[in-house]
Amino acid sequence: MRHRSLLTLASVLAGLLAVTTGMSTAAVASPAVTVPGNASASADANADGIAAVSAQETTVEVSGRATEAGDQVSIYALGAEADAADYTDGELVARTSAGAGGAFDASFPRTDQAGHDRLYDQYVAVVGSGAEAKVVGGPRYVDRLDFAPARDFDYPKAASKKGLQVEMTDDAEELGVQHAGINVAFNELMRNGPGDDPSRVVSFESGGRTFYFDADAVARLDGQIKPLSDNGILVNLILILYRSGDPNSAWPVLHDPDATVGSGTVYAFNTRTAEGVAYFTAAMEFLADRYTRADQAHGRAVGYIVGNEVDAQWVWANSGDKPLGEFLTTYARAVRIAWQATQKFWAGARTYISLTHCWTTVCGDNPDPANPTRFYAGKDVIDQLNALTKRTGDVGWNVAYHPYPQDLFDPAFWNDQAATPGFDTQQITFKNIEVLPDYLAQDDLTYAGSKRRIILSEQGCNTPGDTADAERLQAACYAYAYYKIRFLDGIDAFILHRHVDHQQEGGLRLGLWTWDDQRSEAAMPGRHKLSYDVFTGIDTARSLEVTDFAKAVIGIRDWADVIPGFDPGKLAERTPPTQVGTRNGARPVRPDVLADFETGLDGWRVSDNAATVQTVAGGYHGRRALRVRFDAAALPAWSRDAKTWKGADVVLPKPVNADATPRLSLAVRVPKPAAGEFKPGNAFYAKVRAYAGDGQVAYGLARLDPERGWNVLSLDLSGWQPRSQLARVKVWVRGSTDDDWRGSFDLDYVALSGEVAPAGAVPNIDVSATLAEHHPVGSKLSVTVTNNDVRPLAGKLALQPCGGVSVTPETLDVGGIGTGAGETFDTTVTAFDPADPDHPVICAAYEGLVLPVEFTVPPATPTSLFTFDDGVQGWVAGENVTSVARVGSFANGPGSPHGGSGALEATGAAAPASARRTVAVDLTSPLDLSGAKSVVAWVDSYGGAPGATGYEATLTVVSGSERRSTTVSTFTPDRWNELRVDVGDWAQRNKVTRLEVGFRAIGSDTPWSARFQVDDVAYLD
């Protein structure tokens, strides 16, 4: 069984994680304002002590039974963190006399003189006084919430169970996400005081005190939550705590004092001290207050997941070595506070505990397996937490489960051996996920007579390699798992992990996107995998189409053979956005203006991946325009990636009937790029989205020309039925490359009209091209023409020679390509002599529009020399290396070979960090590389050299006494770096006798026992 101790599956880079359509926000009634005590949760009617505690609007009411009638009963209130045995350290809040049968009740103010809300306290009943005083029963917390919460709205309904731990909110909307998981790192969010600059904090009153939250962290969280919830996505916040060295972080107060700092990735919240409880309570009240506002000014959250995978607490909720019962004492307090605080603001809020896929076994190693103190069985956590909260006042906790495959690296969960049908299964994975709702349906595990809810808040399917087959296996895993969850009652959401592959996730590649090798930041989006398309379509009418391939991968003929209750007629739960034709350059006639920004923002606000909106001089039609900025340093890295959509939107004061004025027009301007700002071939695009009151969406897409200044776009909504209830408009802009774009765009003159004047319009088409082979001449160049215009295309598109590239045929018949449609044509390259061979271009001309179309020359197919799949293959240790070995995995990222099943690992001696460490192979027979242009090797390494300012690696090719080398001085640890030596013009390449790889740190001579790995040594023709 694989363990997860090397993974960082809970970290936000991401944070993660957008919006969709087709979601109603008022479909399901929220829970009643009064949260009743569960019959099974109340104390035994025949037992002495407090049986129930009810929080009213202004009072707390306690009832129970003393030993006998006439007993004098004193009620003490203690902080949530206190030991009930020390009740005299608490506050005496009421005295009463027991009546018939010993029954007693008492009432006292809910708020004390300091402003503390006794909702969060625990209560102890004491009979008698002085030396005769004795506690009756155990402590009990508030288990009835008999007051009106601050907000009252229905729990929103999602179109489907499809969810994602979101990074890019714009992409989440494109994907049709319905449920989102967003990490909230308390160490970043909460400050230990106001600091020197009031603008850097957000203050909040809780319990009669003022607490402070980091303004940038709050803004980042708003920037994640609001675009998601604005589209009706159900947002669940994952409440976690990382170690922090920031002197202004509240980390020292927030973490459990028993935690073994340095051993965990995520730490348990401090509910052992009064100050820890006060800080955690304030943080929960802050989140609940901010994200349940009626105006949704900052967005809306509906779920709160307390910690991460607490059954593996040593890594994911570190609380130090302790048995489960002791761990649950403090964890249950955090769960209770989260539940009480969120219910105080909204009765629909749901609180969850978080568990791994290990059920009767543990996902980790205990120092003493007979006395587990670090890792626990998930089933034991549920059973003991249930018993504890039933005994002390039940809590409406629910379960956020993570049913990863048994082996996280192997997505074929249908082969899992540890996942069996019964309650005694070792693991609950996708294979036997039905065990979990069945188990929680048992009467003694219910809350207030109802089953506890379940979401799957983090799980995914690995891509086991860089091949098409590996992507098919990952996508098949997701399809099978989604269908199982779709037709399984008792599970509300399936929130996939991850959005983008992460380079430091222990070698796993769980994303819908690959990571971008050209960006230094982790988890930056590269390209879509097959799973991206499956995810997008799986809850739509295209569901069976996008998953058909998976049946052969899994080895089945029909989904109904393996999915109980499978019903194809119930798969289309979400209506995707409808593309409408968009004219570029046509101007509205007699418009009804919705926004001209002459007197202000006109209700427009930032949306996805943007920081601010403001009015600026130089409008399209009047004096001013709206500028949307995304240049703030606080924005996450993916927001500044040119290829992510950045935007602003407006909710119209009331829905507009556009039946008579179905042309939605606006002007968009992107600044002319500075020299070198973008890679060659970058193009700018705008997407305009129109939202109906029922959640349906129409969109128009257009390529923008910075040279034209204002690009006037006009969407034709005449064929879109919901146009009579236009409620919101959003405008997005993006580039096509992965450059860092810290910029802005301008928007003006948003209007509706019955018609547009076409004079000055240009065809709204897009053209792309893909070269099939590394050697261009004679190779196939596939040209795709996409029509985003209102009218079908007509006539010919010419492929004109430009930049030294020409093809045959030179004209393509594009007639009949309709709005939103595209067609791919195969041509053959007849000449290839571009000035920049890395960025070749051909020009596409249609009706006076000429588009430069850049394409990429595929890399040469490598001829493998050394793969290390079956051993070290003759490589030996060189200077400052003690040994070499073939390894299948390693502790540093990315944790797995670059390709195949093995890599060469070198273990360095404790030499100065800047000293070269080398490995080499001497070839018994000279290698003839006469046909080669270059030799490549992939190198990875540990980081962490003390005092190092960087790292470098060198690849050397030797022929007798002659040498050719390349040195990469921008080498990045914990990822595979390509080293390439050009040998195309080297006369000695026909007799290569030795290959050598070197590695060292830069800027430090501190002794360091470095390790590095080498893989996939090859040559390219």
Side-chain angles (χ1 to χ4, degrees), residues 80 227 369 479 519 691 762 959:
R519 297 292 300 245
Y691 302 79
V762 297
S959 176

Side-chain angles (χ1 to χ4, degrees), residues 533-688:
D533 301 313
V534 174
F535 185 100
T536 304
I538 201 164
D539 58 347
T540 73
R542 297 181 58 239
S543 187
L544 290 177
E545 172 192 340
V546 299
T547 63
D548 185 65
F549 77 94
K551 292 182 289 186
V553 176
I554 298 164
I556 59 174
R557 298 186 63 182
D558 193 286
W559 288 113
D561 294 340
V562 290
I563 308 292
F566 184 80
D567 183 349
K570 295 181 178 180
L571 293 174
E573 299 180 280
R574 181 179 65 86
T575 302
T578 301
Q579 184 173 1
V580 297
T582 301
R583 287 200 164 183
N584 191 343
R587 301 168 187 271
V589 177
R590 295 181 297 278
D592 292 336
V593 179
L594 300 178
D596 61 10
F597 310 110
E598 292 299 297
T599 59
L601 300 177
D602 291 339
W604 284 75
R605 61 197 184 176
V606 296
S607 185
D608 309 272
N609 299 315
T612 58
V613 290
Q614 63 189 104
T615 60
V616 295
Y620 162 72
H621 189 267
R623 295 178 300 107
R624 303 194 67 79
L626 184 77
R627 178 155 295 170
V628 184
R629 302 180 67 101
F630 39 91
D631 53 0
L635 285 172
W638 61 76
S639 294
R640 301 188 303 269
D641 192 309
K643 67 174 176 283
T644 61
W645 293 109
K646 303 99 170 52
D649 72 343
V650 64
V651 176
L652 301 177
K654 61 179 182 179
V656 173
N657 187 338
D659 282 342
T661 53
R663 272 73 182 180
L664 174 62
S665 298
L666 49 87
V668 183
R669 177 175 63 190
V670 292
K672 296 178 183 178
E677 184 178 2
F678 295 98
K679 294 183 178 72
N682 180 68
F684 292 102
Y685 295 89
K687 179 176 280 191
V688 181

Side-chain angles (χ1 to χ4, degrees), residues 429-449:
T429 73
F430 292 131
K431 181 179 181 180
N432 65 338
I433 185 61
E434 61 277 3
V435 170
L436 184 61
D438 286 349
Y439 190 80
L440 289 175
Q442 298 175 100
D443 288 344
D444 62 342
L445 286 168
T446 60
Y447 170 74

Side-chain angles (χ1 to χ4, degrees), residues 11-338:
S11 59
V12 183
L13 308 157
L16 290 181
L17 10 153
V19 276
T20 187
T21 59
M23 206 183 259
S24 169
T25 59
V28 180
S30 64
V33 169
T34 296
V35 180
N38 188 349
S40 62
S42 302
D44 188 333
N46 296 315
D48 294 342
I50 300 174
V53 184
S54 168
Q56 307 286 320
E57 292 286 349
T58 60
T59 62
V60 175
E61 298 183 359
V62 174
S63 61
R65 202 188 77 172
T67 306
E68 57 186 43
D71 279 346
Q72 296 300 303
V73 182
S74 300
I75 306 298
Y76 284 83
L78 298 88
E81 78 289 344
D83 185 339
D86 298 328
Y87 69 89
T88 55
D89 293 337
E91 180 184 4
L92 176 61
V93 291
R95 285 197 175 99
T96 188
S97 296
F104 68 82
D105 56 69
S107 179
F108 45 89
R110 182 172 144 185
T111 305
D112 68 14
Q113 292 182 343
H116 168 71
D117 189 347
R118 291 184 172 127
L119 167 68
Y120 303 106
D121 286 348
Q122 59 179 316
Y123 298 93
V124 175
V126 178
V127 172
S129 60
E132 302 300 320
K134 65 175 183 178
V135 174
V136 288
R140 197 164 186 88
Y141 296 82
V142 170
D143 55 6
R144 292 179 62 95
L145 307 181
D146 294 325
F147 59 87
R151 284 78 190 246
D152 182 20
F153 54 89
D154 291 338
Y155 192 90
K157 179 177 174 57
S160 70
K161 296 181 180 183
K162 186 174 78 176
L164 180 66
Q165 286 192 349
V166 175
E167 285 187 30
M168 301 89 69
T169 59
D170 62 305
D171 192 55
E173 184 169 1
E174 299 273 61
L175 285 160
V177 170
Q178 300 293 298
H179 306 262
I182 301 292
N183 284 7
V184 182
F186 276 45
N187 52 291
E188 296 178 358
L189 179 71
M190 201 168 192
R191 304 282 82 185
N192 59 13
D196 298 329
D197 185 353
S199 68
R200 301 295 301 276
V201 295
V202 177
S203 60
F204 183 78
E205 301 296 319
S206 174
R209 297 173 56 182
T210 303
F211 294 87
Y212 301 93
F213 298 86
D214 184 87
D216 286 343
V218 172
R220 286 194 297 270
L221 194 56
D222 291 351
Q224 286 288 100
I225 295 172
K226 185 163 178 54
L228 298 173
S229 64
D230 279 351
N231 280 356
I233 293 176
L234 276 60
V235 177
N236 295 278
L237 303 183
I238 305 165
L239 315 176
I240 53 177
L241 178 66
Y242 295 103
R243 183 181 183 181
S244 176
D246 182 349
N248 296 318
S249 170
W251 147 262
V253 180
L254 286 169
H255 79 270
D256 188 325
D258 282 356
T260 305
V261 176
S263 292
T265 299
V266 177
Y267 291 86
F269 293 108
N270 176 13
T271 62
R272 296 175 56 81
T273 69
E275 195 72 348
V277 167
Y279 268 67
F280 182 69
T281 302
M284 290 310 308
E285 289 192 342
F286 174 78
L287 293 171
D289 177 45
R290 191 172 186 87
Y291 299 118
T292 60
R293 287 174 46 148
D295 63 4
Q296 300 190 57
H298 308 295
R300 176 163 288 170
V302 300
Y304 302 83
I305 302 169
V306 184
N308 180 65
E309 299 192 345
V310 299
D311 50 332
Q313 67 96 343
W314 186 253
V315 176
W316 300 110
N318 190 281
S319 188
D321 272 294
K322 58 185 59 173
L324 176 59
E326 186 179 346
F327 170 77
L328 287 177
T329 298
T330 52
Y331 179 64
R333 292 172 188 161
V335 171
R336 185 184 300 279
I337 291 168

Side-chain angles (χ1 to χ4, degrees), residues 357-479:
H357 65 176
C358 294
W359 184 244
T360 60
T361 56
V362 299
C363 279
D365 296 319
N366 285 300
D368 178 6
N371 182 32
T373 59
R374 296 181 178 180
F375 301 90
Y376 319 119
K379 179 176 178 293
D380 291 345
V381 172
I382 287 178
D383 292 345
Q384 293 191 37
L385 180 64
N386 180 63
L388 176 62
T389 57
K390 291 281 199 293
R391 185 172 67 251
T392 57
D394 209 4
V395 175
W397 54 265
N398 302 291
V399 177
Y401 207 74
H402 299 174
Y404 281 100
Q406 176 178 335
D407 180 343
L408 273 67
F409 288 88
D410 183 0
F413 66 84
W414 46 93
N415 296 324
D416 289 351
Q417 298 300 304
T420 54
F423 290 164
D424 60 349
T425 179
Q426 294 180 33
Q427 295 184 4
I428 295 178
T429 73
F430 292 131
K431 181 179 181 180
N432 65 338
I433 185 61
E434 61 277 3
V435 170
L436 184 61
D438 286 349
Y439 190 80
L440 289 175
Q442 298 175 100
D443 288 344
D444 62 342
L445 286 168
T446 60
Y447 170 74
S450 298
K451 291 184 288 187
R452 300 187 189 272
R453 309 199 77 94
I454 301 170
I455 61 173
L456 309 182
S457 61
E458 182 209 298
Q459 55 285 307
C461 304
N462 183 42
T463 311
D466 293 328
T467 66
D469 285 344
E471 289 196 19
R472 286 166 57 84
L473 184 55
Q474 182 208 27
C477 167
Y478 174 73

